[in-house]
Amino acid sequence: LIVFKVTAQVPNLIDKDKKANLDKEFSEGSKINIEQLTTMQVNNLAILGKVWGFLKYHHPVASGGDYNWDFELFRITPKLLAVKTNTERNVILSNWIAKLGTFKIAEATAVDAKRIKYKPDFQWFNTSGFSEALIAQLHKIRKAKRPIESYYVRIYNEETPIAIFRNEANYANFKYPDAGYRLLGLFRFWNIYEYFSPYKNIIDKPWQNVLKEYIPKFAMAKDELNYKLTVAAFIAETQDSHSDISPYDSAFRNFYGEFKPNIEVTFINNQPVVSYSNDEKVGINSLRKGDIIQSINNVPVAQIINAKRNYFTGSNAPAVYRKLAIQFLRTNDTLMKVSYIRDQKIAQTTLKCFPFNKMNYRKPLPSDTGFKVMNGNIAYFHPGRLGNKLQTVMPLAMQAKAIIIDMRTYPRPTSFAWDIGKYLFTQPMDIARYTQGSTETPGLFTYMSDDYMKETRIGETKTDSFKGKVIVLVNEETQSLAELSTMALSTRPNTVIIGSQTSGADGTVGMPVAFPGGLSTGFTQIGVYYPNGKETQ
């Protein structure tokens, strides 16, 4: 998270007085049943998903709350599934749009080209086989006069410009939603990410392709677990370390396992290495820190990784493995047979396992309190443990030859980098540029003002500061605010960043988006770039 000033209360997420709330026709189910899908049906559903989302955020009537837009999807989907030609499909879509009625055209306003980072992309209007009349309708809607605050989305405030997705029913009562509701979840998140993600354009797989790929997977999900694993895999396509589907959902309990031994692993070079072991609880022939696990219950580690890795979301491989490590040793057995390598020799052991949510051990707390002086002249800071003691210990740190800041953690307090920066800099330094999305022009991302960015600078004007070297340690645990803090500290001369690739989730995560069935996830909404506009992710 970026540190923003939050001065307003979270707005009411449900507008009960709107017409959309009076529509109850599909409250018990979508009435859509899909046994199989042809290539044409998949194509038409992909087009429907895009048009439905486009209208939701662009058409003044749809975005005004006059229709229950979820249920409008259920009304038109059977028609799109039944068409035989593109012409027939185009007529249905055109009539659907016309039924929404007329609207006013907004006055043209120019946005300073220097402020634009990304523009919305509507090339799909011209590549979807639409008629000229339908294309004209869509382009006209692009120019519609829209309220700043629509029924479905608004910007929180100027200081924290994340999107608040309102009036989105979670349909949590459907543990295994029907095909219509499953597609609704896909279409809902795909469009939210399409129009409000600053990093959509740099993921490895084009976001346009992801929608079409997952339509048959969502539509044909055979049971609750299959559906929820599909949701997890879909979310993983965002490659956003801020995005997660909880592995503790009831449907996942058996898939990942109810039990776990009292050890922890870290992935090093894609191999699970024991990072912590409670010898007293694990057994006589226990694992030790540094042991490399080769197989679990006679299943090779590579096979286990392949079976689970795709359900964890990360901006890069180290971030994915960091999340996988937490769940990697879960099992449905009370005993776990493990093959491992120690001192270049292969050995086996059997570990006792305990209910994963009632682990009966506690890792010992570090002996230091977030600060210590090593070798008499090296000051070490752990921002995750230091708390509010910075001002107390800085006189000692200022006497040191070098300062080590261990940013392999989330800083507490969140202002740590800026607080210590008062001792490290002799002038304010620009650390980044931020971008924000738009509800008036969904898909547009513009740089936040220079005046705003001045408030994020690190350091202050002074005649003296710490003269020694500053070393910042990073790895895959360095995420979000920790990454921004590292960027800020790195602007200081005589500062070195040491470690491995960070998590790749720099920016503010927005409110969770719900999927039918009780799942939800957030994603990064405010883009963070280097001061020259270069990508950080």
Side-chain angles (χ1 to χ4, degrees):
L1 297 176
I2 297 174
V3 180
F4 284 102
K5 299 175 184 177
V6 180
T7 57
Q9 293 182 346
V10 176
N12 186 3
L13 299 182
I14 300 293
D15 293 332
K16 296 182 179 180
D17 60 340
K18 293 291 186 177
K19 293 179 182 178
N21 290 303
L22 303 177
D23 187 351
K24 307 294 183 182
E25 181 178 351
F26 299 97
S27 297
E28 301 301 320
S30 72
K31 304 176 185 178
I32 296 172
N33 181 40
I34 298 175
E35 298 292 338
Q36 58 183 6
L37 287 171
T38 65
T39 300
M40 170 169 273
Q41 287 175 321
V42 172
N43 290 337
N44 286 341
L45 285 174
I47 288 170
L48 173 60
K50 294 178 184 178
V51 173
W52 175 82
F54 172 78
L55 296 175
K56 179 177 181 178
Y57 295 115
H58 291 81
H59 198 294
V61 175
S63 64
D66 289 343
Y67 291 88
N68 183 321
W69 208 239
D70 292 353
F71 290 1
E72 285 299 301
L73 177 66
F74 299 153
R75 293 185 177 102
I76 197 170
T77 296
K79 299 177 182 178
L80 266 290
L81 288 172
V83 299
K84 303 298 182 184
T85 66
N86 286 355
T87 300
E88 188 179 355
R89 176 202 65 199
N90 293 340
V91 170
I92 290 173
L93 292 175
S94 184
N95 290 341
W96 185 36
I97 293 171
K99 185 188 74 170
L100 297 176
T102 59
F103 50 84
K104 294 181 179 180
I105 300 298
E107 295 182 8
T109 56
V111 179
D112 184 357
K114 294 181 180 179
R115 288 192 60 221
I116 297 175
K117 179 64 175 179
Y118 287 119
K119 294 180 179 180
D121 183 5
F122 295 107
Q123 275 297 109
W124 59 273
F125 288 2
N126 302 314
T127 59
S128 300
F130 291 161
S131 63
E132 292 184 6
L134 179 55
I135 292 175
Q137 283 178 298
L138 296 173
H139 278 299
K140 185 178 181 181
I141 293 169
R142 283 183 60 191
K143 302 174 184 177
K145 183 178 181 179
R146 288 178 285 275
I148 296 177
E149 181 178 331
S150 82
Y151 180 69
Y152 289 107
V153 63
R154 62 156 291 179
I155 297 299
Y156 182 54
N157 61 26
E158 291 184 1
E159 293 181 327
T160 310
I162 58 173
I164 304 294
F165 302 108
R166 311 161 64 232
N167 296 296
E168 296 285 10
N170 59 24
Y171 306 114
N173 56 309
F174 299 126
K175 295 302 180 184
Y176 171 49
D178 63 36
Y181 272 99
R182 297 197 299 270
L183 288 174
L184 168 65
L186 171 64
F187 292 169
R188 173 190 285 178
F189 184 87
W190 187 90
N191 281 284
I192 285 175
Y193 197 75
E194 168 74 8
Y195 294 115
F196 299 101
S197 167
Y199 299 135
K200 175 200 68 178
N201 295 313
I202 60 172
I203 59 177
D204 292 337
K205 186 183 297 181
W207 191 238
Q208 298 280 337
N209 296 352
V210 173
L211 177 62
K212 188 174 179 180
E213 176 185 340
Y214 276 82
I215 283 174
K217 295 179 180 180
F218 271 75
M220 311 305 290
K222 61 183 180 180
D223 53 33
E224 180 186 359
L225 176 60
N226 185 252
Y227 161 63
K228 291 184 173 180
L229 288 175
T230 300
V231 173
F234 169 58
I235 294 303
E237 298 287 359
T238 67
Q239 295 184 292
D240 185 343
S241 296
H242 268 147
S243 299
D244 287 294
I245 292 290
S246 172
Y248 304 108
D249 180 89
S250 58
F252 293 140
R253 292 175 70 94
N254 187 64
F255 176 75
Y256 288 112
E258 299 274 4
F259 301 91
K260 182 179 180 292
N262 283 334
I263 63 173
E264 295 179 6
V265 298
T266 297
F267 278 89
I268 301 175
N269 295 331
N270 300 343
Q271 296 184 94
V273 179
V274 176
S275 56
Y276 176 77
S277 172
N278 188 324
D279 290 337
E280 180 182 353
K281 298 294 183 182
V282 180
I284 298 175
N285 187 17
S286 63
L287 294 177
R288 298 177 187 170
K289 186 176 181 178
D291 291 344
I292 305 172
I293 298 177
Q294 298 295 291
S295 69
I296 298 174
N297 293 333
N298 300 319
V299 180
V301 159
Q303 186 174 330
I304 299 173
I305 292 173
N306 290 335
K308 297 181 178 180
R309 158 180 219 284
N310 292 338
Y311 304 121
F312 294 93
T313 313
S315 304
N316 49 55
V320 172
Y321 279 112
R322 183 197 77 205
K323 295 181 180 182
L324 173 61
I326 299 172
Q327 312 301 332
F328 187 72
L329 295 177
R330 284 175 61 176
T331 178
N332 285 314
D333 300 316
T334 56
L335 294 176
M336 175 182 287
K337 297 167 65 175
V338 176
S339 171
Y340 61 95
I341 295 177
R342 179 188 300 166
D343 298 330
Q344 299 182 336
K345 296 179 181 179
I346 296 179
Q348 290 81 32
T349 188
T350 299
L351 308 177
K352 293 180 181 179
C353 298
F354 307 88
F356 73 86
N357 58 345
K358 296 180 181 179
M359 300 301 291
N360 58 351
Y361 75 96
R362 294 289 184 272
K363 292 177 66 174
L365 295 175
S367 57
D368 68 84
T369 59
F371 174 80
K372 57 186 175 183
V373 177
M374 303 183 299
N375 300 330
N377 61 1
I378 305 294
Y380 169 88
F381 288 89
H382 189 284
R385 299 195 298 267
L386 185 66
N388 297 314
K389 298 186 289 290
L390 180 66
Q391 197 169 6
T392 303
V393 301
M394 276 310 295
L396 281 175
M398 293 293 286
Q399 305 297 321
K401 179 179 180 181
I403 289 176
I404 295 174
I405 299 175
D406 195 340
M407 202 59 76
R408 297 173 297 184
T409 183
Y410 195 87
R412 309 277 185 192
T414 54
S415 60
F416 170 81
W418 289 262
D419 293 340
I420 199 171
K422 295 175 183 178
Y423 301 89
L424 304 180
F425 293 82
T426 56
Q427 63 180 357
M429 299 292 289
D430 291 324
I431 64 170
R433 298 184 76 181
Y434 301 162
T435 60
Q436 67 181 72
S438 169
T439 55
E440 293 181 90
T441 307
L444 175 69
F445 282 87
T446 54
Y447 289 112
M448 296 175 70
S449 70
D450 292 340
D451 287 341
Y452 185 97
M453 297 312 303
K454 286 179 182 177
E455 297 297 318
T456 70
R457 287 174 173 171
I458 189 171
E460 54 188 30
T461 302
K462 56 195 310 184
T463 57
D464 193 24
S465 66
F466 178 71
K467 299 293 194 299
K469 185 179 291 293
V470 173
I471 300 165
V472 184
L473 307 181
V474 298
N475 67 359
E476 66 275 12
E477 299 286 347
T478 309
Q479 176 168 312
S480 197
L481 177 60
E483 293 177 291
L484 185 69
S485 299
T486 301
M487 286 176 63
L489 293 167
S490 70
T491 62
R492 176 188 179 273
N494 205 22
T495 296
V496 177
I497 312 299
I498 295 178
S500 55
Q501 187 175 24
T502 63
S503 177
D506 209 343
T508 299
V509 62
M511 292 182 62
V513 179
F515 285 81
L519 300 179
S520 64
T521 188
F523 63 94
T524 312
Q525 288 190 20
I526 292 179
V528 178
Y529 307 89
Y530 288 104
N532 63 1
K534 180 183 175 182
E535 298 280 357
T536 60
Q537 304 304 84

